[in-house]
Amino acid sequence: MLQIKHIRKQYITGNLVQQALDGGSLNFRENEFVSILGPSGSGKTTLLNIIGGLDRYDDGDLIINGISTKKYKDRDWDSYRNHTIGFVFQSYNLIPHQSVLANVELALTISGISKAERRERAKKALEEVGLGDQIHKKPNQMSGGQMQRVAIARALVNNPKVLLADEPTGALDTETSVQVMELLKEVAKDRLVIMVTHNPELAEEYATRIVRLRDGKITDDSNPYLVEEASEETLRHENMGKSSMSYLTALSLSFNNLKTKKARTLLTAFAGSIGIIGIALILSLSNGVNNYITDIQKSTMTSYPITIEAQALDFSSIIEISPGHAEEMDIEHEKDAVYMNSMDLELASTVTTSLTQNNLTEFKKYLDDEDSEIHEYVGDNGILYTYDTKFGVYTTDPEGEFVNTDGSTLQEAKQSAASSMISGIGSSMGGNGDGSAMSSMVSRASDNFEELLPDSDGTGVSNAIKDNYELLYGEWPVAYDEVVLVLNKNNEIAATTIYELGILPSSEYKELMEQLEDGEKLETQLQQWSYEDICDKQFYLIPACDMYVENENGTFDCIADDEEALGERFEDAVKLKVTGVIRPDEDLENLFINAPFGYTRELTDYLIQYTEESAVVKAQEENADINVVNGMSFEPKDDAAKISDVKIYLSGLGVSDKAKLCKEMLVASAAAGSGSGTDAAMMANMGSMGETELAAMMDQ
Ligand code: ADP
Ligand code: MG
């Protein structure tokens, strides 16, 4: 049972205060047909939206099955909306290029119901509204009355206890209106229907109860329902289940046989679309629920960044090929021979053809153009450009040992513990095997350090972050050398990260890995640190350009793997100060800081400036044809020059470097699949080979 008690809602726009609802109370029966009448602006829509959980009341209470909603969390509202309420609006809000069946089914896809059941229930709902024979039509092939019936079927398919309808006949002629009203009357036989209308005749004829509103006040109720407070049952809140997105998982599986690169783009597109689906679904439900949309958009926007990639995927085509629809592609045939089912190819083709290329250059021009229509919506702080800045951050653990916070120190521990060549190969592939020293050696550092969205003026920390994260201790970072520690909602940091950041000794991690290796059960204990202690920890940032030191040949040696040389640089390093500790708000759905440390735009700017002035960059700029790290030309004029370059390069390598290179070449060729049997055999042998042998092999 639903009750509203002294419900109040104000809208404040500028200096204007609109009292949309002014303290009225109503109790609704489990099953009746209530019509809400009143002049335009009297608060009907507001009332309906509050009852449906689309909008929040300022004061008073909405009581659902005897339970106050004052303490409702976003999750509870979501569950209530998804399971208890169905909505119908004047403008139908159907997705135009989807079949009627797909439109109805879509309402079920987010509730994690199996494909067969979804299809079954959607068909049944459409039959109930008298459209059982039209399920494959598109909305634009239907009349207004039929579209509204589709919308009603969509609202009913979840079998909600309450159906809310906001002027459902507002766009229909009298005759069709009557059909829709008949349908709603039928629906109201076993559930509560609350309908807003400004057609008193229809209300009188069909509704079992008429409530009149004027200026936000209830002026009349033809059939009030009095509930004795004492007799109120304390009912459980039903269906507090979590909506699941299982079909996305199912869908992603069916892409497995697509080319990897495309599949990857697809999955990224998917991850990115979930927020967008949220908006699309809501928009498709109603365009009259501005506040709710703003809320959703706000929480979606905070899942920054919205990634716009060179390739994009038309999401609606994915819905078309969702497993339920795939069946439609079945071609009818006899079962008397062997037939080809080309669904897999069609799926692949739908996906490929819905991938489009974005013209990012034009898009950026559009974004930057002061006169483009998007400018009005983007505002001053809507578009920010960031650099994927790379750097190394080092520290010492409680035992005074050198730690690289990118986790490589721990990986060494893992390796030596495992003493297995194979894991060595794995890490050399992931970490250093891509040949571009600059990016590879520092690439993981950014996993533990992430740039925070700056404020609209490009400095400090954006209000979007401050609104969604609570500052538990200290201050927000401001300067380039200030960082903030980001905990999870439960004030925690993952154990591995704790070791990566040198908060606990690497040697201990090594022991743990050994225990794991031996199949022992790990004993973990609850450990805690005070905010003060954790903020006292010193981190040393060494810009990527400082990892290159000029040698006597005039080229630059990379010291990234040389702990000692790095350790000596601690003096000149940027000493990062941990200025504060933050935690995401409990209701935040999309975390938008995914690293334990956040740094400011100031650090990025500082590093860009610093790098520009560094010796290695200057040397490279002066000598554009020669790679100053290895002395070879970037574009040798022919193969002979290439060969001679390589010979010079190899002759300059030490045994360890040669061994490493040899290993990487074997791994790369095996991975590329060119894998002649010999390579594979050599791989297998590598475990027993020492550096000298590998280096000799390289020489050969
Ligand atoms: P009805 O549906 O009866 O026409 P509404 O509930 O839409 O009335 O609106 C009630 C009052 O609240 C109106 O004065 C309207 O201008 C105001 N109002 C409704 N929504 C908003 C909003 N999002 N922002 C500001 N004022 C609003
Ligand atoms: Mg209205």
Side-chain angles (χ1 to χ4, degrees):
M1 189 189 58
L2 287 177
Q3 295 169 272
I4 55 164
K5 283 194 168 163
H6 312 296
I7 209 104
R8 278 176 210 281
K9 173 79 183 176
Q10 268 185 354
Y11 289 108
I12 302 175
T13 27
N15 302 331
L16 187 75
V17 180
Q18 273 287 348
Q19 194 69 41
L21 288 176
D22 205 7
S25 300
L26 284 172
N27 300 325
F28 295 101
R29 296 172 181 86
E30 301 254 320
N31 116 40
E32 61 179 335
F33 190 172
V34 184
S35 185
I36 297 178
L37 280 175
S40 177
S42 55
K44 304 183 296 291
T45 298
T46 308
L47 178 64
L48 211 62
N49 288 345
I50 285 178
I51 292 173
L54 292 175
D55 208 346
R56 297 296 126 81
Y57 50 84
D58 300 332
D59 202 15
D61 202 356
L62 167 68
I63 294 168
I64 302 169
N65 292 334
I67 296 172
S68 159
T69 54
K70 278 184 184 155
K71 297 231 166 75
Y72 257 36
K73 295 217 163 55
D74 286 359
R75 249 185 12 171
D76 302 322
W77 285 116
D78 280 343
S79 175
Y80 169 64
R81 267 194 316 269
N82 290 338
H83 299 289
T84 311
I85 302 287
F87 294 97
V88 175
F89 299 94
Q90 178 178 336
S91 50
Y92 329 124
N93 296 309
L94 301 175
I95 301 174
H97 57 274
Q98 299 279 325
S99 72
V100 160
L101 185 62
N103 264 288
V104 176
E105 244 182 273
L106 193 60
L108 287 169
T109 43
I110 51 165
S111 36
I113 295 167
S114 81
K115 143 194 144 184
E117 193 184 340
R118 254 181 2 233
R119 163 81 33 127
E120 200 46 47
R121 280 171 61 174
K123 277 187 179 157
K124 195 162 152 271
L126 282 162
E127 277 159 20
E128 279 167 13
V129 301
L131 293 173
D133 51 347
Q134 320 229 14
I135 58 175
H136 295 298
K137 275 197 180 167
K138 298 264 163 80
N140 59 10
Q141 298 165 324
M142 303 187 112
S143 70
Q146 286 175 320
M147 284 197 272
Q148 193 57 292
R149 272 145 63 191
V150 175
I152 292 172
R154 182 184 56 191
L156 292 179
V157 72
N158 270 318
N159 199 19
K161 292 223 157 36
V162 181
L163 184 76
L164 303 178
D166 195 352
E167 306 199 19
T169 60
L172 303 177
D173 57 40
T174 323
E175 195 181 326
T176 358
S177 294
V178 167
Q179 289 170 13
V180 167
M181 293 304 293
E182 290 284 355
L183 180 59
L184 288 176
K185 187 175 156 190
E186 197 61 33
V187 168
K189 282 191 179 147
D190 50 7
R191 48 171 66 78
L192 169 62
V193 174
I194 307 177
M195 178 188 75
V196 163
T197 180
H198 45 223
N199 185 331
E201 290 88 51
L202 287 180
E204 296 284 353
E205 182 165 355
Y206 291 95
T208 58
R209 174 177 175 190
I210 294 177
V211 173
R212 287 176 201 274
L213 273 187
R214 178 171 289 272
D215 297 334
K217 292 189 176 67
I218 295 161
T219 54
D220 188 47
D221 185 345
S222 70
N223 185 11
Y225 178 35
L226 299 175
V227 183
E228 276 177 52
E229 301 288 319
S231 76
E232 276 177 27
E233 303 169 70
T234 330
L235 288 170
R236 69 237 115 79
H237 184 56
E238 286 180 43
N239 287 324
M240 272 309 207
K242 214 177 164 187
S243 310
S244 87
M245 276 257 177
S246 70
Y247 102 109
L248 286 180
T249 336
L251 207 51
S252 67
L253 290 178
S254 64
F255 296 141
N256 274 348
N257 41 12
L258 287 173
K259 287 207 175 94
T260 2
K261 196 175 162 207
K262 287 229 166 101
R264 211 180 311 129
T265 316
L266 275 176
L267 291 178
T268 327
F270 254 110
S273 315
I274 291 172
I276 298 166
I277 304 168
I279 291 191
L281 281 179
I282 298 310
L283 285 177
S284 74
L285 282 178
S286 163
N287 41 27
V289 286
N290 293 329
N291 282 355
Y292 183 64
I293 293 172
T294 313
D295 264 8
I296 290 281
Q297 282 181 337
K298 211 168 146 192
S299 79
T300 309
M301 294 312 174
T302 48
S303 72
Y304 115 95
I306 288 182
T307 311
I308 296 175
E309 294 185 70
Q311 274 191 326
L313 177 76
D314 173 9
F315 181 74
S316 59
S317 67
I318 296 298
I319 294 176
E320 296 266 10
I321 60 160
S322 66
H325 294 267
E327 277 174 4
E328 271 171 35
M329 292 185 202
D330 285 353
I331 296 162
E332 299 269 319
H333 53 69
E334 297 291 320
K335 293 179 183 163
D336 57 351
V338 181
Y339 293 89
M340 179 172 85
N341 180 334
S342 51
M343 198 178 88
D344 48 351
L345 295 180
E346 298 210 15
L347 275 174
S349 135
T350 315
V351 170
T352 351
T353 50
S354 57
L355 268 179
T356 51
Q357 299 295 326
N358 284 323
N359 185 342
L360 295 182
T361 314
E362 283 303 311
F363 186 61
K364 184 170 183 304
K365 269 192 213 153
Y366 172 69
L367 290 180
D368 291 344
D369 181 3
E370 301 261 323
D371 296 328
S372 70
E373 60 265 55
I374 197 163
H375 235 264
E376 175 190 344
Y377 301 102
V378 163
D380 297 330
N381 52 352
I383 300 167
L384 295 154
Y385 296 94
T386 62
Y387 292 87
D388 196 7
T389 318
K390 310 284 189 194
F391 48 80
V393 178
Y394 307 89
T395 186
T396 48
D397 71 15
E399 292 173 347
E401 294 296 321
F402 177 92
V403 176
N404 184 345
T405 63
D406 72 355
S408 60
T409 314
L410 298 185
Q411 230 151 48
E412 282 158 29
K414 216 189 272 177
Q415 265 173 49
S416 56
S419 73
S420 115
M421 200 65 178
I422 299 304
S423 81
I425 292 167
S427 84
S428 90
M429 276 178 78
N432 299 311
D434 70 0
S436 76
M438 174 90 85
S439 71
S440 64
M441 71 177 186
V442 282
S443 63
R444 283 207 62 232
S446 33
D447 288 358
N448 279 330
F449 289 82
E450 190 177 307
E451 188 188 276
L452 301 171
L453 185 68
D455 220 343
S456 47
D457 61 358
T459 66
V461 179
S462 162
N463 283 334
I465 291 181
K466 290 182 177 170
D467 284 353
N468 288 288
Y469 284 78
E470 187 184 343
L471 183 65
L472 301 171
Y473 172 79
E475 312 279 343
W476 289 95
V478 179
Y480 77 99
D481 58 352
E482 295 180 341
V483 295
V484 68
L485 179 67
V486 188
L487 306 179
N488 70 9
K489 292 182 184 176
N490 207 17
N491 272 47
E492 297 158 340
I493 305 176
T496 309
T497 311
I498 297 261
Y499 287 103
E500 283 181 358
L501 297 175
I503 296 167
L504 286 175
S506 310
S507 62
E508 202 174 294
Y509 187 79
K510 190 171 151 186
E511 279 163 28
L512 290 174
M513 288 306 113
E514 274 164 9
Q515 283 175 316
L516 272 185
E517 189 81 356
D518 297 344
E520 287 174 33
K521 187 153 167 31
L522 294 188
E523 304 272 330
T524 55
Q525 64 205 45
L526 192 63
Q527 303 207 44
Q528 65 172 72
W529 294 266
S530 72
Y531 297 140
E532 288 89 341
D533 284 352
I534 219 117
C535 287
D536 272 347
K537 183 129 189 85
Q538 273 291 347
F539 293 96
Y540 303 90
L541 181 153
I542 303 182
C545 59
D546 278 0
M547 310 240 184
Y548 294 86
V549 180
E550 189 161 8
N551 60 30
E552 61 271 23
N553 305 330
T555 56
F556 287 78
D557 289 333
C558 178
I559 57 161
D561 292 333
D562 185 345
E563 281 183 21
E564 214 169 301
L566 286 173
E568 282 166 17
R569 297 213 152 238
F570 277 17
E571 271 306 297
D572 310 324
V574 177
K575 291 172 195 68
L576 296 176
K577 289 189 272 293
V578 187
T579 58
V581 182
I582 60 174
R583 174 182 63 201
D585 287 347
E586 207 173 308
D587 276 340
L588 186 62
E589 282 176 32
N590 301 297
L591 298 180
F592 51 110
I593 313 173
N594 294 302
F597 279 109
Y599 61 88
T600 59
R601 167 60 64 87
E602 276 75 2
L603 179 60
T604 308
D605 291 343
Y606 170 85
L607 288 173
I608 290 172
Q609 180 81 22
Y610 185 87
T611 305
E612 231 162 42
E613 288 160 10
S614 69
V616 65
V617 168
K618 285 206 160 134
Q620 187 64 75
E621 276 171 350
E622 277 161 23
N623 204 346
D625 299 331
I626 306 288
N627 179 339
V628 294
V629 175
N630 58 24
M632 296 191 279
S633 42
F634 282 116
E635 288 181 351
K637 59 181 187 304
D638 52 25
D639 282 353
K642 212 182 278 180
I643 290 167
S644 117
D645 269 353
V646 169
K647 279 188 176 152
I648 296 171
Y649 174 69
L650 286 178
S651 67
L653 289 182
V655 169
S656 307
D657 286 338
K658 273 186 198 169
K660 200 170 136 197
L661 190 60
C662 179
K663 214 159 73 180
E664 281 172 5
M665 281 172 62
L666 287 172
V667 169
S669 73
S674 67
S676 61
T678 351
D679 285 345
M682 281 185 177
M683 285 260 298
N685 267 332
M686 267 160 53
S688 58
M689 283 169 123
E691 282 201 334
T692 338
E693 284 165 300
L694 284 165
M697 203 153 93
M698 194 69 227
D699 284 338
Q700 221 178 6

